Amino acid sequence: EPFQIVHGVSMYKPVSGKQSEWVDDAVDPGLKSKESVERKVKDEYGGDCGAVKDVVRITLTYEKVGDLNRGLKALQNVPDWKLVSCKNKYASRTPLGYADICTIFEIPFMSNDGDTRKFLCEVQLHAKSVLAAKDEAHTYYEKIRELLPRICENTGVDSGVLQKFMIKVFTRVIRVVIDSSLLFFFKV
């Protein structure tokens, strides 16, 4: 049964028990909201709406972090799918430990008029434990993102620059704590 009609194309939810061996589960967050797209265009892309690549998105989840690579390889082998970008956020986690593998694929589809068109789709690959932590922290992240511009208003401080600085400081603090903990545990 269709769950969403996009430009005249019916999209279907996965059927339970029919998933592929290369993915443990899939989460469909739906299309990115118009408000989120507009905010991203304004705040991150300087008004360039063509830079938005995650309107269509899906999250693939895995019990083990090591299995994310299996999923990425399977996606790269899907006929006619072209990998446009791949960010391995496990290489540089956020201060709160968030990480994923975030990809953008160019995917062909046939429209109702018979033309083959291409669209961009974000595919995030997550360890289930990291995704659970992300969901828990997202409320706080949204609140900070909402309040920071108001706090910086009329101060001459760019809220985007401040947010990046805060992340840099938090990352350093977390690394010092982790390094100190490792020294304590491995002390002879």
Side-chain angles (χ1 to χ4, degrees):
E1 195 174 316
F3 72 93
Q4 192 168 14
I5 305 294
V6 181
H7 299 293
V9 177
S10 299
M11 308 292 281
Y12 295 86
K13 284 190 174 182
V15 177
S16 181
K18 300 288 185 186
Q19 61 269 31
S20 297
E21 292 179 12
W22 55 267
V23 61
D24 293 340
D25 200 7
V27 179
D28 173 22
L31 296 174
K32 183 177 279 295
S33 72
K34 180 181 177 188
E35 296 77 21
S36 291
V37 171
E38 288 172 343
R39 178 199 48 77
K40 201 168 202 177
V41 167
K42 178 181 169 253
D43 296 346
E44 297 177 32
Y45 298 126
D48 181 8
C49 62
V52 179
K53 296 176 177 66
D54 62 346
V55 174
V56 177
R57 60 224 169 118
I58 192 161
T59 298
L60 305 178
T61 62
Y62 300 85
E63 292 293 333
K64 299 176 190 166
V65 173
D67 290 342
L68 276 69
N69 192 42
R70 174 180 49 138
L72 181 58
K73 285 180 180 178
L75 288 168
Q76 289 176 293
N77 289 320
V78 174
D80 299 322
W81 282 33
K82 178 184 173 192
L83 181 63
V84 174
S85 72
C86 180
K87 293 180 187 173
N88 179 0
K89 296 179 189 169
Y90 281 92
S92 58
R93 290 175 177 254
T94 68
L96 297 176
Y98 174 75
D100 69 2
I101 295 177
C102 185
T103 64
I104 304 293
F105 280 89
E106 184 180 79
I107 301 172
F109 74 98
M110 185 159 314
S111 64
N112 286 346
D113 60 11
D115 288 340
T116 299
R117 299 189 180 148
K118 295 181 180 181
F119 68 96
L120 297 177
C121 177
E122 178 184 77
V123 181
Q124 292 183 353
L125 296 95
H126 282 279
K128 286 185 179 184
S129 58
V130 174
L131 188 58
K134 174 192 172 195
D135 290 344
E136 189 175 329
H138 193 71
T139 303
Y140 302 112
Y141 168 74
E142 287 294 329
K143 196 54 131 173
I144 289 168
R145 193 170 71 187
E146 174 189 327
L147 293 174
L148 208 49
R150 284 194 260 158
I151 292 168
C152 293
E153 204 170 286
N154 299 321
T155 65
V157 175
D158 182 301
S159 62
V161 172
L162 179 58
Q163 186 174 2
K164 287 177 185 172
F165 172 76
M166 290 169 59
I167 289 171
K168 191 161 92 174
V169 170
F170 290 148
T171 301
R172 287 180 183 163
V173 169
I174 296 296
R175 284 186 183 142
V176 168
V177 170
I178 290 170
D179 290 347
S180 299
S181 299
L182 290 174
L183 285 173
F184 174 78
F185 285 110
F186 292 104
K187 198 174 184 182
V188 179

